[in-house]
Amino acid sequence: MTKVLVASDLHLSDTIWKHRPIFGDSYYAWSQIVDIALKNKVQAVILAGDLLDKQYNPSNPVHSLISGVRVLNQANIAVLFNQGQHEMMDTPWIKLGTKTIWLHNKQVQLEGKTQSFTLVGCDYQDRTKFQEFLKSDLAKEADILVCHQVWQDFMGEVGKPQAAFADVPENVKLLITGDYHDAIITKHNKLTVISPGSTHMRSISEPENKSVVLMTLGESEKQPIQLKQIPLQSRPCIRLDLTKPSFSSKQVISYLTNWKHTVDLPEEIQTPLLFVQYNEETRKFFDTHIVSLVNFHLFSKFKRENGEEIFTADEANTDKVSLLQMLSKIFKEDTKEYDLAVKLLQAGDAPELVLENWLKDQITDVHSETETE
Ligand SMILES: [Mn+2]
């Protein structure tokens, strides 16, 4: 049998929100993943993209990534990885490990007791390239596919997906995908889909329960792939809705005053996130009792009577979908400008690459036009 731990979207970085003193969440999550891998004596760890939050990093995120990978490698645990739109490098930092396999357009055999599994992976791709990949012989030989994409089944059309589960070749039994920050194990016909989800909250609209997935491969013929979600500890997140009719100021004050940790956390992870929704009616309570709280990192949403919702600036910052929505208001869809802008938005920290490729495409277009004339 082969035991493999699956995680994605580590987003290793010092901070998450631009203007808040919130540090350490990604590093703490990564250290837990390394511990879980050691404790469960896995043969490999799969990291499905967005391991680093940025393409160009200060030393801390790289140091954290490599330290973890080296601990795993020294315990003879291989690290299999792909890249998401956030990091995208020609020479990924993680290759500084001694036992790492870059899955992009590669095939790896995982040996189980009763059978072996063909694992194929690819880095984040734009729609055209990813669709090509799904139709390639390589993908058609895979039992397990590892990628990092926006799926229509998760995000709907508004997320500008590159594929739907229905596009995955029939032979694939298991799809492991990074990008979607919710932790989900789901089925599409005979295909099992794992979205390990992010390892810590990167937006207040993400679910706060984080986990990794332990896969046991080929233990029995009946159940060739067994999956188990293992929770990760992370910074607590408290959600309060002051717009509900059941709102009671006494209860809210007493709840917040008496709030206590239920698990041991490193000091830098202890201050909880507090997300409060309020309206005109509860504005005064919010201003006098909530804004002054110092033991929480406050996020808020003001609900106007006309249904309009106003987020704090920091939240808007991390909401990619709404940026895409705004784009449709500036450019007409199905135009070159719109296409380019979508690619730039999805490029993370590497817009230069997008521009470079776009320019190349433009030149090829001009050439092929002159050739056909
Ligand atoms: Mn991500």
Side-chain angles (χ1 to χ4, degrees):
M1 119 192 124
T2 309
K3 279 209 239 174
V4 181
L5 192 67
V6 186
S8 78
D9 295 84
L10 311 181
H11 287 274
L12 294 170
S13 49
D14 284 347
T15 58
I16 305 160
W17 286 276
K18 273 187 185 154
H19 312 291
R20 290 167 188 273
I22 305 181
F23 302 99
D25 299 54
S26 61
Y27 304 139
Y28 179 53
W30 174 222
S31 74
Q32 290 174 74
I33 294 170
V34 172
D35 289 346
I36 293 170
L38 295 174
K39 198 178 145 209
N40 286 279
K41 299 190 166 62
V42 301
Q43 277 79 53
V45 171
I46 294 177
L47 300 175
D50 281 1
L51 315 185
L52 290 162
D53 189 49
K54 291 181 163 42
Q55 192 186 21
Y56 301 107
N57 292 277
S59 58
N60 276 348
V62 178
H63 189 268
S64 163
L65 178 66
I66 304 309
S67 310
V69 168
R70 287 195 170 157
V71 169
L72 294 171
N73 288 171
Q74 270 157 19
N76 215 17
I77 299 171
V79 177
L80 283 48
F81 72 96
N82 64 6
Q83 299 194 89
Q85 60 275 59
H86 273 258
E87 64 240 299
M88 273 311 169
M89 302 195 84
D90 291 340
T91 312
W93 279 110
I94 192 171
K95 293 215 56 106
L96 285 173
T98 50
K99 224 185 155 191
T100 61
I101 301 174
W102 189 358
L103 293 170
H104 186 54
N105 285 333
K106 254 220 191 95
Q107 207 180 77
V108 177
Q109 284 307 120
L110 294 174
E111 301 300 330
K113 193 158 83 182
T114 54
Q115 56 186 296
S116 108
F117 298 82
T118 305
L119 190 136
V120 169
C122 82
D123 287 352
Y124 170 82
Q125 306 286 307
D126 66 29
R127 190 182 166 88
T128 314
K129 290 214 178 95
F130 189 58
Q131 288 292 337
E132 270 170 29
F133 168 79
L134 289 175
K135 289 180 186 78
S136 68
D137 290 340
L138 193 65
K140 282 180 186 157
E141 283 165 18
D143 299 308
I144 301 172
L145 213 58
V146 182
C147 50
H148 186 103
Q149 299 294 151
V150 181
W151 295 91
Q152 189 195 17
D153 310 68
F154 286 149
M155 296 297 286
E157 281 304 330
V158 75
K160 309 291 163 203
Q162 293 97 37
F165 298 153
D167 302 331
V168 174
E170 258 177 46
N171 49 287
V172 177
K173 296 175 190 78
L174 179 68
L175 169 68
I176 296 170
T177 180
D179 184 72
Y180 194 47
H181 284 192
D182 294 16
I184 290 177
I185 298 178
T186 183
K187 277 241 162 200
H188 176 85
N189 301 329
K190 281 182 179 165
L191 175 72
T192 301
V193 180
I194 300 179
S195 160
S198 55
T199 60
H200 58 287
M201 272 177 78
R202 309 227 21 112
S203 152
I204 202 73
S205 47
E206 272 182 30
E208 56 266 33
N209 291 330
K210 302 300 178 187
S211 54
V212 289
V213 179
L214 182 66
M215 294 202 300
T216 308
L217 296 175
E219 196 171 35
S220 72
E221 261 168 71
K222 246 190 176 175
Q223 255 196 315
I225 302 176
Q226 287 174 37
L227 304 175
K228 185 184 156 200
Q229 270 178 314
I230 300 176
L232 295 173
Q233 302 299 343
S234 58
R235 184 184 301 278
C237 175
I238 302 163
R239 296 175 199 273
L240 291 177
D241 191 348
L242 309 184
T243 69
K244 280 191 176 158
S246 59
F247 163 71
S248 137
S249 53
K250 249 193 196 161
Q251 267 176 20
V252 168
I253 292 169
S254 134
Y255 175 78
L256 289 175
T257 327
N258 296 314
W259 189 88
K260 273 198 183 71
H261 283 278
T262 50
V263 287
D264 278 340
L265 290 168
E267 207 186 323
E268 72 272 19
I269 309 293
Q270 284 182 7
T271 308
L273 308 175
L274 172 63
F275 178 52
V276 180
Q277 301 186 61
Y278 65 107
N279 54 14
E280 197 51 58
E281 244 172 89
T282 47
R283 181 203 284 267
K284 205 169 162 229
F285 175 82
F286 179 82
D287 285 345
T288 39
H289 294 283
I290 304 287
V291 174
S292 54
L293 292 170
V294 288
N295 300 332
F296 303 91
H297 294 296
L298 180 63
F299 292 78
S300 62
K301 189 156 94 176
F302 180 71
K303 286 180 166 178
R304 285 204 176 127
E305 259 171 64
N306 61 10
E308 217 181 310
E309 294 177 338
I310 304 163
F311 266 116
T312 60
D314 269 342
E315 171 57 21
N317 238 339
T318 56
D319 204 343
K320 281 187 227 155
V321 177
S322 75
L323 279 179
L324 281 169
Q325 284 160 344
M326 274 158 66
L327 204 59
S328 323
K329 290 185 183 164
I330 306 167
F331 297 119
K332 274 198 188 118
E333 294 193 28
D334 296 322
T335 60
K336 272 188 178 177
E337 291 80 3
Y338 180 80
D339 238 35
L340 175 62
V342 169
K343 280 182 184 158
L344 284 170
L345 268 183
Q346 292 175 337
D349 273 345
E352 304 90 332
L353 277 179
V354 171
L355 282 174
E356 212 177 283
N357 286 332
W358 189 75
L359 203 62
K360 268 186 213 155
D361 285 350
Q362 300 305 304
I363 294 166
T364 341
D365 279 355
V366 174
H367 281 305
S368 51
E369 270 164 35
T370 32
E371 269 165 31
T372 46
E373 263 167 23

